[in-house]
Amino acid sequence: MASLDQQAVSYVARAQMMVDRARKLVIADRVDTIDLLANRRQCLGEHFKLYQVFKHTKIFNPIVEFGAGSSKIVARSMKMDCLELGETYRAYVDRWLRLKPQEWRSYQRDMLAIAEVLSTHLATELTSMKQLLTISQFYRR
């Protein structure tokens, strides 16, 4: 079985790949892919749900319960950031649930903005999770 670190990397890599593929279609001005993009938003949302369950149950919650003082604070903060971003992403999906071709320009701006937020968050979160896992391994010794 893969380590928690490796599992987190895998979740983040898949999410980033999904974001990047959609971003390329939007940058290429592919209005003809509206239905595909709707499907991809849903797939990404489902992937984020699995990732959220993983990181909360396997990383954040155990560290909040058993970790060192400063790690607990970081893990709690990361949990809150995760939940907040989840709400932001759900609102984005809801906004564009029935995207029409005449709304493309607004969607394009919004999609590129959320893609940047997601990419930045994923990278930062992965780095922080790796640090938390390293610290927790140190304290187990």
Side-chain angles (χ1 to χ4, degrees):
M1 183 168 165
S3 70
L4 293 176
D5 187 292
Q6 292 167 328
Q7 290 177 65
V9 168
S10 178
Y11 274 110
V12 169
R14 182 157 190 258
Q16 191 58 61
M17 177 194 67
M18 295 168 84
V19 169
D20 290 344
R21 285 180 176 172
R23 184 183 353 221
K24 286 177 184 175
L25 292 172
V26 171
I27 288 171
D29 213 18
R30 296 284 309 272
V31 180
D32 61 311
T33 62
I34 284 176
D35 291 337
L36 174 64
L37 287 165
N39 177 270
R40 294 298 165 207
R41 283 191 301 277
Q42 175 150 353
C43 289
L44 181 58
E46 290 168 8
H47 179 69
F48 278 146
K49 286 177 192 173
L50 294 173
Y51 176 45
Q52 184 178 45
V53 168
F54 161 76
K55 63 188 172 182
H56 284 261
T57 61
K58 302 288 185 184
I59 299 173
F60 299 154
N61 293 347
I63 290 173
V64 166
E65 189 169 347
F66 303 112
S70 60
S71 294
K72 288 181 182 201
I73 294 167
V74 172
R76 273 192 210 105
S77 176
M78 289 178 72
K79 284 175 65 81
M80 298 309 295
D81 289 346
C82 173
L83 296 172
E84 185 179 313
L85 185 59
E87 289 301 315
T88 299
Y89 186 74
R90 276 187 283 287
Y92 161 78
V93 169
D94 289 347
R95 265 193 312 279
W96 301 112
L97 202 52
R98 290 169 183 74
L99 174 60
K100 296 172 183 63
Q102 61 269 26
E103 299 171 313
W104 179 257
R105 291 294 170 230
S106 295
Y107 167 74
Q108 195 175 38
R109 285 187 299 274
D110 197 20
M111 187 282 174
L112 294 175
I114 192 84
E116 185 61 32
V117 167
L118 291 171
S119 293
T120 300
H121 179 86
L122 287 167
T124 302
E125 181 178 71
L126 183 59
T127 299
S128 296
M129 279 192 296
K130 286 179 172 187
Q131 290 171 343
L132 282 173
L133 290 169
T134 299
I135 291 167
S136 69
Q137 290 299 319
F138 175 77
Y139 280 107
R140 284 188 192 154
R141 294 179 183 170

